[in-house]
Amino acid sequence: MPEETLFETEQLMGREAVADYLHTLADSVAEGGDVTLRSGDRSVTLSPPSEVEFEVKAEREGPTDGDGELSIEVELEWPENAPDDGGLSIE
């Protein structure tokens, strides 16, 4: 299946600024509304449903006999036109 990148940004940031960004993202997801990613004049708005596939990955990229690059990747994934039934509830 082909993949289309809707939004991507990469920049050097301090750990505290990264944590602030992740807190803001987490708050948006928890509130259950739209999530808007913005950098400069570029932005994309997504509407995660109440249940998403959540993945956390730690990777090392580079030569096996030398220094490489380490990363932590966090991913939320869901079907594009998934109905959001709001989950199970009792009234």
Side-chain angles (χ1 to χ4, degrees):
M1 177 171 14
E3 185 172 285
E4 175 188 4
T5 300
L6 302 176
F7 178 87
E8 184 174 17
T9 184
E10 187 172 327
Q11 58 188 302
L12 188 62
M13 297 171 65
R15 290 170 64 149
E16 189 171 318
V18 170
D20 287 344
Y21 186 88
L22 291 173
H23 283 291
T24 301
L25 176 60
D27 290 345
S28 292
V29 171
E31 289 169 5
D34 291 347
V35 174
T36 299
L37 306 173
R38 185 180 324 274
S39 179
D41 62 346
R42 297 171 300 139
S43 69
V44 65
T45 299
L46 303 169
S47 301
S50 57
E51 288 195 7
V52 299
E53 184 175 317
F54 180 67
E55 179 181 341
V56 177
K57 186 187 321 183
E59 290 184 332
R60 181 189 178 279
E61 189 176 324
T64 56
D65 60 348
D67 289 344
E69 182 176 85
L70 300 173
S71 67
I72 300 171
E73 297 180 11
V74 177
E75 181 174 289
L76 284 72
E77 189 173 323
W78 63 92
E80 187 169 5
N81 293 308
D84 189 1
D85 63 8
L88 180 64
S89 66
I90 297 175
E91 296 182 26

